[in-house]
């Protein structure tokens, strides 16, 4: 099979790091969202089952078919919205499931009609690259702020990364991760007590549809997922140069959510952070073989879904400093490329820089994250600077 010929250690590591970062950075928020709707332990496990299978299959299958990296993740800002709105509104689990399905139907509609892709096609590459750099730069910063609580670990991983880039550039992230794991294991900093042996089982919840849940849960979940997840996700795809069928993949994520929502899949969408890891040169120097990183990432998500608590415990056993350090270092090349693309054209430079800074600020307005507002600010700046300039001067 061609996949096994294309698979490499660097792609394997990129897929693992993507899962490690994507999972550990936000799984606590997903748990909080489930608990906001008074989920039982069985229902929380079912959420992980549904999300794991949804993310895994929607990443693995298209990546194999298209031979390009397709990365689907859960909506972290969506989970945060649900955790807040769920507690405030006192909604039942059935009403929450109904809201998940309404949001999924709206996302599917955006994919089927092609509305979202047409909007994205009108955003200049420099704005998209500024958005990408702004989204990823926060992870780059966190890699070094982790030194405040784990200085020896961060310095060791940084030194390993720099030496790896000099001597074995293809395996720099592999070596950095291996050295980091060895360091924390030798110092007894792995939280093995979090690992529990059990299989996940799906739990069906009958959806209930109400106007209150649609307005308070479904609409905010849809808006936040599209603006804070799918928009930067497409920016990563565009900046990476992969001609993926955006509308069809968006439809797939919407339908996947719709089918798995009764089991707890609240929102599946394009990934940004983890996609950059699997689409960048760290995954493989050959662009045509980077899809294997996404396939392996998808396979790991399926395993997470099937084995639930076991894999959750294994991934959360890693110290948070190790996770943010390896994520930031793995994304350095992509951040640099994003900034280079954003600032290359003088006519778009200021607008791209505004996009980058607003996105990096992390500002949240009306419950919508900085990725959306970065694009809005950059597009407005570009409009003000460029409007009317190309028109011929008449006399």
């Amino acid at each position: 099979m061609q996949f096994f010929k294309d698979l490499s250690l660097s792609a394997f590591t990129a897929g693992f790091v993507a899962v490690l970062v994507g999972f550990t950075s936000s799984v606590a928020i997903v748990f909080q969202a489930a608990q906001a709707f008074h989920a039982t332990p069985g229902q929380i496990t079912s959420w992980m089952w549904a999300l794991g299978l949804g993310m895994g299959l929607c990443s693995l299958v298209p990546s194999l078919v298209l031979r390009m990296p397709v990365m689907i993740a859960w909506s972290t800002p969506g989970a945060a919205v649900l955790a807040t709105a769920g507690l405030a509104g006192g909604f039942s689990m059935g009403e929450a499931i109904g809201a998940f399905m309404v949001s999924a139907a709206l996302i599917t509609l955006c994919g089927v009609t092609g509305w979202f892709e047409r909007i994205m096609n009108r955003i200049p590459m420099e704005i998209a690259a500024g958005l990408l750099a702004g989204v990823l730069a926060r992870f780059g910063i966190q890699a070094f702020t982790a030194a405040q609580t784990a200085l020896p670990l961060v310095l060791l991983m940084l030194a390993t990364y720099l030496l790896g880039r000099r001597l074995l550039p293809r395996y720099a992230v592999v070596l950095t991760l291996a050295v980091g794991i060895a360091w924390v294991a030798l110092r007894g900093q792995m939280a093995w007590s979090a690992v529990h042996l059990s299989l996940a089982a799906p739990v069906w919840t009958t959806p209930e549809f109400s106007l209150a849940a649609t307005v308070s849960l479904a609409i905010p979940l849809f808006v936040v997922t599209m603006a804070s997840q799918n928009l930067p996700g497409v920016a990563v795809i565009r900046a990476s140069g992969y001609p993926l069928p955006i509308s069809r993949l968006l439809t797939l994520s919407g339908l996947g959510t719709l089918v798995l929502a009764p089991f707890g899949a609240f929102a599946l969408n394009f990934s940004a952070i983890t996609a950059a890891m699997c689409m960048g040169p760290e995954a493989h120097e050959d662009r045509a073989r980077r899809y294997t990183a996404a396939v392996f990432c998808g396979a790991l998500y399926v395993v997470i879904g099937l084995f639930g608590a076991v894999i959750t415990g294994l991934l959360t056993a890693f110290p948070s400093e190790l996770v943010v350090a390896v994520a930031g270092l793995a994304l350095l090349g992509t951040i640099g490329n994003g900034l280079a693309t954003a600032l290359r054209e003088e006519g778009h430079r200021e607008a791209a820089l505004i996009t980058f800074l607003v996105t990096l600020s992390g500002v949240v307005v009306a419950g919508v994250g900085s990725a959306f507002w970065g694009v809005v600010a950059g597009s407005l700046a570009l409009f003000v600077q460029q409007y009317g300039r190309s028109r011929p001067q008449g006399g």
Side-chain angles (χ1 to χ4, degrees), residues 244-264:
L244 290 172
I246 301 300
S247 293
R248 281 188 286 164
L249 292 174
L250 186 63
T251 302
L252 175 66
S253 71
L255 291 175
T257 306
L258 201 59
V259 170
L260 293 169
F263 303 101

Side-chain angles (χ1 to χ4, degrees), residues 20 150 152-161 172-190 317-319 321-323 325-326 329:
L20 178 65
L153 173 64
V154 173
L155 289 178
L156 179 62
M157 293 177 71
L158 177 60
T160 304
Y161 176 81
V173 177
V174 178
L175 294 171
T176 303
L177 178 63
V179 169
I181 292 175
W183 174 266
V184 297
L186 288 173
R187 292 176 60 86
Q189 295 176 332
M190 296 289 288
F318 291 97
E321 292 88 353
L322 184 148
V323 175
V326 73
L329 294 173

Side-chain angles (χ1 to χ4, degrees), residues 19-341:
V19 172
L20 178 65
V21 172
F23 197 86
T24 59
S25 63
S26 58
V27 68
I29 302 175
V30 176
F31 286 168
Q32 289 173 3
Q35 290 166 350
F37 303 110
H38 313 290
T40 65
Q43 287 175 322
I44 293 176
T45 301
S46 179
W47 278 43
M48 301 316 300
W49 177 88
L51 290 166
L53 260 63
M55 294 187 298
L57 294 176
C58 289
S59 299
L60 187 157
V61 175
S63 296
L64 277 176
V65 172
L66 300 172
R67 293 196 184 280
M68 290 184 282
V70 176
M71 294 290 288
I72 301 295
W74 64 47
S75 175
T76 300
V81 166
L82 292 173
T84 303
L87 288 173
F91 297 102
S92 68
M93 181 61 77
E95 288 177 304
I97 296 299
F100 300 168
M101 297 181 74
V102 171
S103 174
L106 292 173
I107 292 173
T108 304
L109 181 64
C110 288
V112 170
T113 59
W115 293 340
F116 183 66
E117 185 171 9
R118 284 197 291 272
I119 292 172
M120 289 301 301
N121 286 339
R122 296 183 66 85
I123 297 176
M125 176 56 70
E126 289 80 5
I127 299 290
L131 170 65
L132 169 63
V135 169
L136 302 184
R138 277 178 283 171
F139 277 77
I141 292 170
Q142 288 173 10
F144 297 101
T145 56
Q148 293 178 341
T149 53
L151 181 60
L153 173 64
V154 173
L155 289 178
L156 179 62
M157 293 177 71
L158 177 60
T160 304
Y161 176 81
L162 293 175
L163 286 172
R165 291 291 295 169
R166 173 72 183 272
L167 303 174
L168 295 167
R170 185 173 167 184
Y171 301 106
V173 177
V174 178
L175 294 171
T176 303
L177 178 63
V179 169
I181 292 175
W183 174 266
V184 297
L186 288 173
R187 292 176 60 86
Q189 295 176 332
M190 296 289 288
W192 297 118
S193 59
V195 181
H196 303 285
L197 185 61
S198 63
L199 290 173
V203 176
W204 170 275
T205 300
T206 302
E208 300 173 22
F209 300 95
S210 69
L211 179 60
T214 298
V215 173
S216 300
L217 298 178
I219 301 301
L221 178 61
F222 165 72
V223 171
V224 166
T225 298
M226 294 301 292
S228 300
Q229 291 282 161
N230 282 325
L231 191 149
V234 174
V236 172
I237 294 170
R238 294 281 193 249
S240 301
Y242 285 103
L244 290 172
I246 301 300
S247 293
R248 281 188 286 164
L249 292 174
L250 186 63
T251 302
L252 175 66
S253 71
L255 291 175
T257 306
L258 201 59
V259 170
L260 293 169
F263 303 101
F266 57 91
L268 302 175
N269 46 249
F270 291 119
S271 168
I273 307 297
T274 54
M277 295 175 179
C278 293
M279 293 181 179
E282 288 77 13
H284 201 285
E285 57 189 10
D286 184 355
R287 290 171 45 81
R289 296 174 63 180
R290 293 175 193 168
Y291 78 95
T292 57
V295 171
F296 182 69
C297 178
L300 280 180
Y301 276 135
V302 171
V303 172
I304 287 174
L306 295 176
F307 290 90
V310 182
I311 307 300
T312 300
L314 284 172
L315 292 178
T316 54
F318 291 97
S320 59
E321 292 88 353
L322 184 148
V323 175
V324 297
V326 73
L329 294 173
L331 290 168
L332 284 180
T334 306
I335 295 170
N337 291 336
L339 284 172
T341 301

Side-chain angles (χ1 to χ4, degrees), residues 341-359:
T341 301
L343 304 177
R344 67 185 175 185
E345 293 289 339
E346 187 174 352
H348 291 168
R349 187 171 298 161
E350 224 169 52
L353 186 58
I354 289 172
T355 302
F356 168 73
L357 292 174
V358 173
T359 304

